[in-house]
Amino acid sequence: MIGKRSHIIYIVLLIFFYGQFTFGQTNEQRSLEAKRDRLQKEIREINRLLFAERKEKGNVLEQMEALDKKINVRQQLIRVTNQQTNLLNRQINVNIRSISKLRKDLEVLKEDYANLVQRSYQNKNQNSRLMFLLSAESFFQAYKRLQYMKQYAQHRKKQGEEILVKTDELSERNKELITQRKEKEQLLVENRRVKTQLSKEIQSQKTLLTSIRQNETRYTATIEKKRREARKIDREIDRLIKSAIVSNNKRTGSRSATKFALTPEAKLVANNFSANKGKLIWPVEKGIKSQGFGVYNDKIYPGIKHRNNGVTITTDKGSKARAIFEGEVIAIVSVPGGSRGVQIKHGNYISTYYNLSKLYVKKGDRVAAKEVLGEINTNRFDGTTKLKFYLFQDSNRLNPEEWIYQL
């Protein structure tokens, strides 16, 4: 009796842990699938925004950066698809073991059931059952025999029902296994296709690299021009923020030239802004991050370093920049020979939206989250529409990728 009870406990624990394992694997599979969908969407957006409308004689540097972006995303997609395939392999192996165990359990149940049926057939005579009861030495013994006969009948019924349950479970596991194997094959086919595309893009990048290096002087001049423009924009943004701090602090009596002196209302806005770190909306309705924050190597000459003090987001022609959070417009950025921008103060946080061709707000305006600030400029030479987005806390630069949702 103890041995049978231990076996039942073992089976229950096995089913529990298998269920927990399957639940964990399912969640991981969902997470990987969502990540794969995002990467596929990003590749479609890169093709649409950086390649489809690009003129054949566009800036080769821009083309190189676009190819590099797509290659990186394609490599991420391959890694995620490989992870999904490996996870499916583990799930398939678990199901194979589960099916094998179910088949053994089913054989044992059927054998036990056959023995029960045989014994029941041998004792099916009603007179034999009656004699079994009447031959009892006491009423108590007769009662116990009657209870035994009832339990025996119930046990037989339970065995039959358990066989049906196990048969159904085995059928479901087999269906799962077939589905998983199909999913695995689809992932492998997709991975082969993605790898083929990746090889073509790497070859295109090599061809483009060769053409650029044949005209090194022109490339160097383009790089230097971009650097000068970036430095000019950065200096103007820094100047406007420091000017806004000084102006704000004069009203409050503070002498700090690097930090905003906050009123209770401004502190509340700043705290709300900080509480939304990693969850803030994008400064455009849709687009892709075409250049991230920080120092990065040159695509042509890796020894050359570049710095981006914000992030660059590529979007559709005619797209509008929008406020990432409620706040006050504290400055309009205007760089000689360049585009314009808007700076918004959120307590002691400042978001900057640069490369706008049209402005819909002015200094002193109060804006809400998602409120349209202006239309983003489209480059007339290569057809790209790019927003330069910067984030500060007081006069300190922040990495927008850590603050904007999935940037």
Side-chain angles (χ1 to χ4, degrees):
M1 185 70 181
I2 293 172
K4 187 173 181 181
R5 188 178 298 163
S6 301
H7 180 70
I8 290 168
I9 292 169
Y10 169 76
I11 293 294
V12 169
L13 287 173
L14 187 68
I15 291 168
F16 171 76
F17 286 119
Y18 173 77
Q20 292 293 100
F21 176 80
T22 305
F23 177 75
Q25 295 281 64
T26 302
N27 280 348
E28 190 179 351
Q29 192 68 277
R30 285 199 199 100
S31 174
L32 288 171
E33 185 64 30
K35 192 172 182 180
R36 188 164 67 95
D37 286 344
R38 285 198 302 271
L39 290 169
Q40 287 174 329
K41 183 181 178 183
E42 191 172 351
I43 288 170
R44 289 195 296 272
E45 288 295 282
I46 290 170
N47 284 330
R48 188 173 66 82
L49 296 171
L50 299 182
F51 288 93
E53 296 182 5
R54 187 179 299 281
K55 296 178 180 178
E56 289 183 7
K57 295 184 179 179
N59 189 326
V60 288
L61 177 58
E62 297 282 350
Q63 291 177 38
M64 194 70 186
E65 289 176 350
L67 263 174
D68 191 67
K69 173 72 176 171
K70 188 155 70 165
I71 286 168
N72 285 337
V73 176
R74 194 86 72 182
Q75 287 169 336
Q76 287 179 55
L77 181 59
I78 289 169
R79 283 196 294 272
V80 170
T81 309
N82 281 336
Q83 287 175 320
Q84 280 189 285
T85 306
N86 292 336
L87 182 58
L88 271 173
N89 272 336
R90 293 199 294 273
Q91 289 176 335
I92 286 168
N93 289 335
V94 167
N95 260 346
I96 288 171
R97 289 195 294 271
S98 176
I99 287 168
S100 177
K101 180 72 172 61
L102 279 169
R103 281 178 178 152
K104 287 177 182 174
D105 290 348
L106 197 55
E107 285 174 11
V108 171
L109 280 171
K110 284 180 177 179
E111 188 177 341
D112 287 349
Y113 189 71
N115 291 334
L116 278 174
V117 171
Q118 188 177 4
R119 285 197 296 272
S120 177
Y121 179 78
Q122 289 170 349
N123 299 321
K124 69 178 181 177
N125 190 310
Q126 190 67 31
N127 291 332
S128 298
R129 293 178 186 177
L130 187 59
M131 288 301 295
F132 180 63
L133 289 172
L134 294 175
S135 62
E137 294 177 1
S138 65
F139 174 78
F140 179 73
Q141 191 183 61
Y143 174 75
K144 295 294 279 183
R145 287 185 178 185
L146 181 62
Q147 289 297 104
Y148 168 76
M149 288 166 65
K150 285 181 179 178
Q151 288 174 3
Y152 186 81
Q154 288 172 356
H155 179 63
R156 179 180 166 185
K157 182 182 177 183
K158 186 180 176 183
Q159 288 283 79
E161 288 171 350
E162 200 171 343
I163 287 172
L164 289 174
V165 169
K166 290 284 184 185
T167 304
D168 289 342
E169 193 177 345
L170 183 60
S171 176
E172 286 301 310
R173 288 282 177 269
N174 278 321
K175 286 177 184 175
E176 280 180 23
L177 192 59
I178 291 166
T179 302
Q180 286 168 343
R181 282 173 171 160
K182 284 181 181 177
E183 286 176 7
K184 179 185 170 182
E185 186 55 38
Q186 287 171 355
L187 287 172
L188 291 172
V189 168
E190 182 183 333
N191 231 5
R192 286 193 289 269
R193 182 182 60 78
V194 173
K195 284 177 180 177
T196 301
Q197 288 295 325
L198 179 63
S199 297
K200 289 178 181 177
E201 286 157 4
I202 290 172
Q203 187 55 48
S204 296
Q205 193 180 47
K206 286 178 180 176
T207 304
L208 192 59
L209 186 60
T210 302
S211 70
I212 293 171
R213 284 179 172 167
Q214 286 173 351
N215 198 342
E216 188 175 339
T217 306
R218 184 180 173 185
Y219 174 76
T220 306
T222 304
I223 286 291
E224 188 52 40
K225 183 182 177 185
K226 287 187 74 171
R227 279 179 166 173
R228 283 197 304 271
E229 289 172 354
R231 285 195 294 267
K232 202 186 296 182
I233 295 165
D234 289 342
R235 282 197 299 269
E236 182 61 10
I237 289 170
D238 288 345
R239 185 190 71 78
L240 288 170
I241 289 174
K242 286 171 184 173
S243 175
I245 291 173
V246 170
S247 177
N248 175 85
N249 291 354
K250 272 184 183 178
R251 295 192 299 270
T252 60
S254 171
R255 295 184 178 181
S256 175
T258 56
K259 288 188 176 182
F260 284 98
L262 300 178
T263 62
E265 294 81 4
K267 279 183 183 177
L268 182 62
V269 174
N271 289 339
N272 288 340
F273 188 93
S274 179
N276 281 278
K277 184 177 182 178
K279 297 179 285 186
L280 293 166
I281 63 168
W282 278 52
V284 294
E285 190 174 341
K286 60 180 179 178
I288 57 166
K289 180 187 72 180
S290 47
Q291 182 58 59
F293 176 86
V295 177
Y296 60 96
N297 294 328
D298 189 82
K299 308 304 177 188
I300 314 301
Y301 298 98
I304 300 174
K305 303 285 185 183
H306 301 286
R307 174 181 285 279
N308 189 359
N309 288 323
V311 293
T312 305
I313 298 172
T314 301
T315 184
D316 293 302
K317 183 178 181 179
S319 290
K320 312 292 192 295
R322 62 182 188 176
I324 61 166
F325 202 76
E326 65 172 296
E328 178 190 352
V329 177
I330 58 168
I332 300 299
V333 184
S334 183
V335 178
S339 297
R340 292 176 291 174
V342 174
Q343 282 187 332
I344 301 177
K345 177 174 172 284
H346 319 274
N348 63 329
Y349 292 91
I350 302 99
S351 57
T352 303
Y353 313 74
Y354 183 75
N355 196 33
L356 305 179
S357 57
K358 295 178 184 176
L359 299 180
Y360 302 148
V361 293
K362 62 184 183 301
K363 185 177 177 179
D365 284 354
R366 299 289 305 179
V367 295
K370 292 188 179 181
E371 188 166 332
V372 174
L373 307 173
E375 185 173 321
I376 304 166
N377 180 58
T378 297
N379 188 303
R380 69 178 190 273
F381 296 109
D382 61 24
T384 56
T385 305
K386 295 185 177 183
L387 176 72
K388 310 249 184 211
F389 178 76
Y390 305 82
L391 198 57
F392 286 76
Q393 182 178 19
D394 297 311
S395 57
N396 300 315
R397 292 189 185 95
L398 300 176
N399 181 357
E401 296 173 53
E402 296 175 357
W403 290 78
I404 304 298
Y405 179 68
Q406 289 187 356
L407 183 60

